[in-house]
Amino acid sequence: MSTQNYQVFWQEALKQLSEEYKSNGKEDEFKIWFKMDYVEDHDNVIVVNVPSEFLKIQMMSRGYVEQIKSKLMEITGQSDFSIEIQYNNATPVSTPVPSQEKVEVKSSKKEEKKTDKKETSGKHHPQLMEKFTFENFVPGDNNNYAYSATLAAAKNPGKSDTLNPILLYGGVGLGKTHLMQSLGNYIYQHDEKAKICFISSENFFNEFYYSLQNNQMNKFKNKYRNYDVFLFDDIQFLIGKESLQEECFHTFNGLMEHHAQMVFTCDRPINELKGIEDRLKTRFSSGVCIDLKPPSYENRIAIIRKKLEIEKKVIRNDVVEYIAKNIQMNVRDLEASIKKIVGYQDLIQTEVTIEIAQDLLKDTISEATGNAVSMETILKVVADIENTSIADIKGKGRSKRLAETRHIAIYVARELLEYSYSELGGEFGGRDHTTILSAYNGIADRIKTDPSFEKRIKDIVNSIKEYKKI
Ligand code: ADP
Ligand code: MG
């Protein structure tokens, strides 16, 4: 084979393989893996270039190099040649077959550095994450109130009794810390002299404990009572820590006295914080308490797009939809999925298809959906176990047995879903929130005193979780 001839054969081999993959419905696979560019050939060694070492290893281990070799043998009728693969990230990659849907992934390191530089310029508070800003937050029905309240307080910190303190509560990864820090960032950007403190209650505890042991309590007290803005994250960590709670109580009183703006976050409603003094709970909830809910499908799409826009990345629409459909309860999981896709895309230097996305995200999705239980599942499983129907559970029937089943379903729904009492009322045939609350409390009290009943409820909960996995 002469050098000149070989190049023509190489292209022909790729063309034929592309057609074969296409007719087997594996066009995407071809586009991803056959990214070998002819460089030269000498002494029966054909030198080709691939975009990365990763691709080189994959092409060899998956047998793609062998396939192209056989194809070349078939076309040329020769077998005494070998293929040498180089990899070089700097070489521009050309896809052998034009791709209509090709997505341009602008991900060069240079560009990332430029973005970093831009982000770190300007005012930045050392305790706050730069990316946690109102601009980067996507408001929706699930969090509009929390968004507006924190933004309003950021514009007029400490001025409104209604918006001070703000308590944000809700499940993991729903944007509580993001909004709290957005408020801090906003204030700092407008007033660099503002004394802002962001601390998790766990770190507050560590510092408190250290000060106590080293006779530095006065210093500790002075420090924490003098802030203009106090952002206290994850107050559930205070549960059961009495002396810490005592200190918090005095700290908050001191901060209140000079109208410092305070924001607290918690992973559950305040009345469910067992093991926290009532007077402290009263403090936490003396302004406004707002719950954050998981985002709707449309909102999840908007969040994914926002994150891609911030990172200056593009992924296929069907992959965006796939992620939004499957990851429902936690925005952090959404972010992790985007990162995985984009990271892989950067590595193989071509768009990730839905099939690859499914493979890449299978663990994240099974974990995410494993934790997510729907109202429908709860009703179905409770109805099955208790030998009744969903319609009866939601209906008006008042027999003792049916009422008990209904109360169990309400209790379990409240435990497994992030619904308010009024929302649960809506789900359970339009009952009002006091009826739901008393049903919930009735079951909760019985669980505390009756071990066999407790077991019955646990079994139902486990069945619901198991049902999701089927
Ligand atoms: P929480 O404190 O409620 O556990 P975080 O505030 O840490 O959750 O949010 C988890 C991640 O999800 C963060 O990276 C945050 O930027 C992102 N996030 C959550 N909600 C939104 C939203 N509505 N818009 C944009 N990003 C969001
Ligand atoms: Mg948080």
Side-chain angles (χ1 to χ4, degrees), residues 177 233-234 332:
T177 304
D233 209 12
D234 289 325
R332 201 171 289 136

Side-chain angles (χ1 to χ4, degrees), residues 168-297:
L168 303 173
Y169 67 92
V172 184
L174 295 182
K176 301 182 295 294
T177 304
H178 185 139
L179 276 180
M180 165 189 255
Q181 291 210 8
S182 299
L183 174 139
N185 274 321
Y186 185 98
I187 295 174
Y188 193 70
Q189 276 153 20
H190 290 80
D191 176 10
E192 228 176 308
K193 293 205 180 75
K195 285 181 272 165
I196 301 174
C197 170
F198 166 82
I199 190 159
S200 68
S201 55
E202 187 172 1
N203 284 341
F204 188 81
F205 172 71
N206 293 338
E207 213 178 311
F208 166 75
Y209 195 67
Y210 174 86
S211 305
L212 208 60
Q213 293 208 318
N214 293 281
N215 284 329
Q216 294 182 7
M217 275 315 286
N218 277 343
K219 197 173 148 201
F220 178 86
K221 284 180 208 286
N222 287 337
K223 174 179 169 188
Y224 280 105
R225 288 169 203 182
N226 274 313
Y227 283 109
D228 302 319
V229 180
F230 189 67
L231 312 173
F232 199 51
D233 209 12
D234 289 325
I235 57 171
Q236 68 275 3
F237 189 80
L238 301 175
I239 290 176
K241 301 187 174 63
E242 281 161 23
S243 49
L244 179 66
Q245 289 179 28
E246 168 90 22
E247 188 52 39
C248 282
F249 181 73
H250 296 301
T251 303
F252 301 158
N253 283 348
L255 287 162
M256 281 282 207
E257 265 167 36
H258 74 269
H259 302 287
Q261 176 67 50
M262 288 191 269
V263 184
F264 305 115
T265 68
C266 187
D267 69 352
R268 65 203 83 167
I270 198 85
N271 57 356
E272 287 177 20
L273 277 179
K274 309 266 155 32
I276 290 201
E277 285 178 41
D278 283 347
R279 60 176 186 163
L280 198 53
K281 286 198 223 171
T282 310
R283 275 278 167 276
F284 286 136
S285 53
S286 61
V288 63
C289 304
I290 310 173
D291 62 339
L292 281 96
K293 297 252 169 46
S296 65
Y297 175 71

Side-chain angles (χ1 to χ4, degrees), residues 86-99:
Q86 301 175 341
Y87 64 88
N88 174 6
N89 286 324
T91 309
V93 182
S94 69
T95 316
V97 174
S99 151

